[in-house]
Amino acid sequence: MPRKYEKVIELLPIIKEMASHGKTQQQIANELGLANKKVVWNLLYRERQKEIQGLPKHRSRKPAKTLQEYKYENKRLKMENELLRDFLLLTGRK
């Protein structure tokens, strides 16, 4: 009787070895007692995708800014504000 749920990721080395020896996915599934060959196919497909891409698809956070970068940005924005205030005073808009 086939298993309904299996942690197939633990069987990955065994499945890869069996596949390298020329066994079909159906034969591998039968020997390991898995439901069908689709379980083996999905596992091997996921591993191939990981090898191709190298990195997971999830997005990661942007690298955190250092304190020095924040201080530099703050200084630059203060200078920009000062220039804009001077410009508005000279043009008579404020």
Side-chain angles (χ1 to χ4, degrees):
M1 183 168 142
R3 301 175 199 166
K4 290 187 178 183
Y5 177 77
E6 179 66 46
K7 294 182 181 178
V8 291
I9 197 73
E10 295 172 357
L11 299 174
L12 180 62
I14 298 168
I15 291 173
K16 281 186 174 182
E17 182 181 336
M18 293 172 102
S20 68
H21 289 298
K23 293 197 178 192
T24 64
Q25 293 173 357
Q26 185 66 51
Q27 290 171 338
I28 295 170
N30 290 341
E31 285 186 30
L32 296 176
L34 301 173
N36 55 22
K37 70 178 183 176
K38 192 70 174 173
V39 175
V40 176
W41 185 89
N42 284 334
L43 180 64
L44 293 174
Y45 176 78
R46 284 193 308 256
E47 286 302 311
R48 281 193 304 271
Q49 292 303 315
K50 285 180 187 175
E51 291 172 3
I52 291 171
Q53 295 176 356
L55 296 174
K57 285 189 175 182
H58 61 78
R59 294 182 179 180
S60 61
R61 292 183 177 186
K62 294 179 181 176
K65 290 184 176 180
T66 63
L67 182 60
Q68 184 178 7
E69 289 172 328
Y70 279 119
K71 286 182 178 180
Y72 174 76
E73 184 179 9
N74 195 15
K75 182 179 177 183
R76 185 183 58 80
L77 291 172
K78 283 181 180 179
M79 288 172 43
E80 186 178 320
N81 282 340
E82 187 178 331
L83 286 172
L84 289 172
R85 278 193 206 107
D86 289 344
F87 174 76
L88 289 175
L89 284 174
L90 289 174
T91 58
R93 294 188 181 181
K94 206 170 189 184

